[in-house]
């Protein structure tokens, strides 16, 4: 075994987006592509000698190959120890948990999260810091800068190691401890939630279906729900992670998880339905014939947080991404705590969580989490909802409709135009930005525009600044349209249009969402000339 220094040249485009570097598998398979990026990460981190790194992924195609390369590079860059999930598996939340629990220097997560997998699908790499959270913007920018001047990488010429049994292996002077990917995480969950109450709920005949979507949440959900909490076998479906997610899109929303949605509307439907995404940080919550918007889920969990032992002392604050509905703001106000509005992407919550300013965080994109780790957490959210149902004896629908009656309902929908021409998307956003100063005061489709801007954010903890985070059009009645371009896609561009309307009148809170938002949707289309710019008359996905 010997450490090699290999000459290389910069590869354009290695800039991480909303959450890590995501590209087609075929791009990652190009010579030096992964090596250049990983060496750029290590170079940017500075002195890595003697440090501990956590490593794992969501099991998608290319995971195993990438793990062997990264292990050999970590050994060549002086790391003393790697904690590796058995079989190369570690969900995003479990990685965050393991980094924190073992005081690691940082971690590498191999995942393109909700993007499709397989040889023709996507692959991704994220770096998380010692707090367990995604690298902040300054760090990802520095990594990108480094990737554009890199001239060599270091790698051991050791043979591949066997990663499927627990125990310790060695590469050069570095120990590779192969750990149970579920154990630390499951132990943390058992301290946050009332497992006794949830066990009683299942013992009393409560039924649930958790769809692992053949992604990485399956092993976690199976161990916790079926083994630890006594849910009947078969509660967790599609539980085995597959390299191509069984050909499905591991993005839990009512469109991609349509089978689960149909089951929840069938005769003898389970009491509760849930699903998670590729790397298990997203969650979808369903009742019988009832789906909960992620924005409402955050607000409801905040309202009832004290039922869970981990949150019995109450919340310090709430944080939500800008496009997420303002349902949580109303709860924060009632609780007398702060609600922070951040740009899209979990990395912006890190400072607020570290500073003890926020306890719960959420995004409209099926992401919910808390200060227990520094990532959003799918299984955690499902356990929170189970705890809530066990504590109140109420159904999902009863809990949410009571919430609306108390706080009002924020009708909410996101319209995605996927795979549109990248230049056309840029032009659409540019045109909108030019219009902004002239919009306030105008009345269109019965809406009067109160304010319009391009969202900017200054982090209240470290003062860092982010601009151009989404165009917001705010109406005088509190309704809102937000436009932004996705930072996770790998083909063309994706335009996301976020629509929100507030309804305080209980008699008007049960209209089908698209109907309730119809005139706002029409306004959003015409204001941005979506058809003209994209050639699309309809969004490709509505959630
Ligand atoms: C999307 C979501 C965002 C989320 C990000 C990563 O980003 O909108 O809320 O944080 O995915 O989630 P974008 O830039 O495509 O809108 V995951 O579960 O894919 O890591
Ligand atoms: Co994810």
């Amino acid at each position: 075994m010997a450490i090699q220094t290999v000459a290389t040249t910069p590869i354009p485009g290695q800039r991480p987006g909303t959450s890590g570097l995501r590209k087609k598998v075929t791009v990652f398979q190009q010579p030096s592509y992964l090596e250049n990026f990983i060496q750029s990460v290590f170079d940017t981190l500075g002195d890595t000698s003697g440090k501990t790194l956590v490593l794992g992924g969501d099991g998608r195609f290319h995971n195993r190959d990438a793990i062997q390369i990264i292990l050999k590079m970590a050994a060549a860059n002086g790391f003393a120890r790697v904690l590796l999930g058995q079989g190369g598996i570690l969900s995003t939340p479990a990685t965050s948990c393991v980094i924190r629990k073992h005081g690691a220097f940082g971690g590498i997560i191999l995942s393109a999260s909700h993007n499709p997998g397989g040889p023709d699908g996507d692959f991704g790499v994220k770096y998380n810091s010692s707090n367990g959270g995604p690298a902040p913007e300054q760090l990802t920018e520095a990594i990108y800068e480094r990737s554009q001047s890199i001239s060599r990488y270091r790698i051991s010429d050791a043979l591949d190691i066997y990663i499927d049994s627990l125990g310790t292996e060695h590469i050069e002077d570095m120990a590779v401890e192969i750990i149970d990917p579920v154990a630390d995480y499951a132990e943390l969950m058992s301290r946050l939630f009332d497992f006794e109450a949830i066990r009683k709920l299942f013992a009393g005949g409560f039924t649930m279906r958790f769809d692992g979507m053949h992604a990485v949440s399956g092993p976690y959900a199976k161990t916790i729900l079926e083994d630890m909490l006594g849910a009947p076998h078969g509660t967790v479906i599609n539980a085995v992670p597959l390299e191509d997610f069984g050909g499905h899109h591991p993005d839990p929303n009512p469109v991609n998880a349509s089978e689960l949605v149909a089951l929840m509307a069938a005769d003898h439907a389970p009491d509760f339905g849930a699903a998670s995404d590729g790397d298990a940080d997203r969650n979808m919550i369903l009742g019988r014939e009832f789906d909960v918007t992620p924005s409402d889920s955050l607000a409801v969990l905040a309202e009832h947080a004290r039922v869970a032992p981990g949150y019995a002392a109450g919340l310090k604050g709430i944080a939500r991404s800008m496009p997420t509905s303002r349902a949580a703001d109303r709860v924060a106000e009632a609780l007398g705590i702060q609600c922070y509005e951040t740009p899209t992407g979990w990395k912006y919550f890190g400072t607020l969580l570290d500073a003890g300013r926020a306890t719960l965080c959420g995004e409209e994109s099926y992401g919910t989490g808390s200060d227990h780790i520094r990532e959003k957490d799918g299984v955690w959210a499902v356990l929170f909802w189970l705890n809530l149902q066990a504590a109140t004896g109420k159904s999902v629908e009863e809990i949410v409709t009571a919430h609306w009656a108390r706080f009002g309902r924020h009708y909410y929908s996101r319209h995605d135009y996927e795979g549109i021409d990248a230049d056309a998307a840029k032009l659409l956003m540019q045109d909108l930005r030019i219009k902004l100063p002239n919009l306030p005061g105008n009345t269109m489709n019965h809406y009067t525009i109160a304010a319009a801007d391009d969202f900017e954010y200054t982090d209240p903890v470290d003062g860092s600044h982010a601009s151009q985070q989404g165009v917001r059009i705010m109406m005088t009645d509190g309704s809102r349209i937000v436009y932004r371009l996705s930072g996770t896609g790998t083909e063309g561009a994706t335009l996301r249009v976020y629509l929100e309307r507030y309804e305080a009148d209980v008699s008007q809170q049960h209209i089908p969402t698209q109907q309730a938002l119809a005139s706002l949707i029409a306004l959003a289309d015409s204001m941005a000339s979506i058809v003209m710019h994209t050639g699309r008359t309809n969004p490709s996905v509505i959630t």
Side-chain angles (χ1 to χ4, degrees), residues 272-275 283-287 290-293 297 366 378 381-382 385 396:
F272 182 43
N283 72 92
M284 179 173 69
I285 299 296
L286 302 169
F290 191 86
D291 48 302
V292 184
T293 69
S297 179
Y366 296 84
V382 172
W385 272 93
V396 170

Side-chain angles (χ1 to χ4, degrees), residues 316-317 340 350-359 371 374 461:
K316 294 176 189 145
Y340 298 89
T351 51
L352 297 170
L353 293 166
D354 284 350
R357 293 210 195 187
T359 307
D371 59 359
R374 293 294 179 272
V461 180

Side-chain angles (χ1 to χ4, degrees), residues 22 92 113-114 126 277-282 376:
R22 296 186 194 187
T92 289
S113 192
H114 67 282
K126 309 189 260 187
D277 73 327
D279 60 337
D281 57 357
R282 295 188 181 203
K376 54 188 187 269

Side-chain angles (χ1 to χ4, degrees), residues 18-19 22 112-114 126 277 279 281-282 344-346 363-365 376 414 484-488 496 498:
T18 311
S19 174
R22 296 186 194 187
S113 192
H114 67 282
K126 309 189 260 187
D277 73 327
D279 60 337
D281 57 357
R282 295 188 181 203
T344 294
W346 212 261
E363 293 194 280
E364 51 64 41
S365 54
K376 54 188 187 269
R414 187 176 99 183
R484 61 179 282 283
L485 299 181
S486 158
T488 58
R496 305 201 194 285
Y498 309 81

Side-chain angles (χ1 to χ4, degrees), residues 410-440:
H410 289 255
Y411 281 106
Y412 190 85
S413 182
R414 187 176 99 183
H415 287 200
D416 291 335
Y417 297 79
E418 297 172 314
I420 57 177
D421 180 73
D423 291 333
K426 262 191 217 144
L427 201 60
L428 180 150
M429 292 301 291
Q430 260 172 28
D431 281 1
L432 259 177
R433 287 193 182 105
I434 293 168
K435 280 189 200 166
L436 291 177
N438 300 322
L439 288 177

Side-chain angles (χ1 to χ4, degrees), residues 240-502:
V240 179
L242 298 178
E243 289 201 327
D244 66 349
F245 307 118
H248 296 299
H249 196 162
D251 183 0
N253 61 43
V255 179
N256 296 325
S258 55
E259 263 176 54
L260 182 66
V261 173
L263 175 76
M264 295 306 296
D267 292 344
H268 312 295
D271 296 300
F272 182 43
S276 190
D277 73 327
D279 60 337
D281 57 357
R282 295 188 181 203
N283 72 92
M284 179 173 69
I285 299 296
L286 302 169
R288 279 201 178 129
E289 263 188 283
F290 191 86
D291 48 302
V292 184
T293 69
S295 299
D296 278 349
S297 179
L298 173 66
V300 167
L301 294 184
E303 180 189 4
H304 298 284
R306 283 174 188 268
V307 301
Y311 307 92
L315 306 177
K316 294 176 189 145
I318 304 172
R320 61 162 177 82
S321 66
M322 181 274 283
T324 304
S325 98
R326 285 151 305 165
D329 302 39
R330 293 179 190 275
V331 180
E333 203 186 335
L335 293 172
I337 56 174
Q338 189 78 26
C339 188
Y340 298 89
E341 185 176 45
T342 61
T344 294
W346 212 261
K347 60 188 170 199
Y348 293 103
F349 294 135
T351 51
L352 297 170
L353 293 166
D354 284 350
R357 293 210 195 187
T359 307
L360 292 192
C361 304
E363 293 194 280
E364 51 64 41
S365 54
Y366 296 84
T368 334
S370 87
D371 59 359
H372 68 293
I373 53 171
R374 293 294 179 272
E375 288 278 6
K376 54 188 187 269
D377 190 343
V379 173
W380 169 92
V382 172
L383 290 169
F384 214 142
W385 272 93
L386 277 169
N387 198 148
L388 181 49
Q389 290 168 88
T392 59
K394 295 204 174 106
S395 72
V396 170
E397 181 169 0
E398 286 166 345
I399 292 168
V400 176
T401 49
H403 176 89
W404 292 340
R406 179 175 168 200
F407 293 97
R409 175 174 182 182
H410 289 255
Y411 281 106
Y412 190 85
S413 182
R414 187 176 99 183
H415 287 200
D416 291 335
Y417 297 79
E418 297 172 314
I420 57 177
D421 180 73
D423 291 333
K426 262 191 217 144
L427 201 60
L428 180 150
M429 292 301 291
Q430 260 172 28
D431 281 1
L432 259 177
R433 287 193 182 105
I434 293 168
K435 280 189 200 166
L436 291 177
N438 300 322
L439 288 177
N442 286 325
T443 299
M444 288 178 265
N445 279 21
H446 311 296
Y447 285 103
T448 302
I449 299 172
D453 68 3
D454 194 351
F455 184 58
E456 293 196 26
Y457 179 68
T458 302
D459 187 305
V461 180
D462 69 9
S464 60
H465 192 73
S467 55
Q468 297 213 324
Q469 296 298 317
V471 166
R472 307 188 284 184
I473 318 283
M474 275 93 57
M475 314 301 168
T476 48
D477 74 342
S479 298
R480 197 173 65 147
I481 303 171
V482 175
Y483 305 84
R484 61 179 282 283
L485 299 181
S486 158
T488 58
T490 59
E491 266 172 58
T494 293
L495 169 70
R496 305 201 194 285
V497 183
Y498 309 81
L499 305 136
E500 177 183 0
R501 172 165 92 75
Y502 179 66

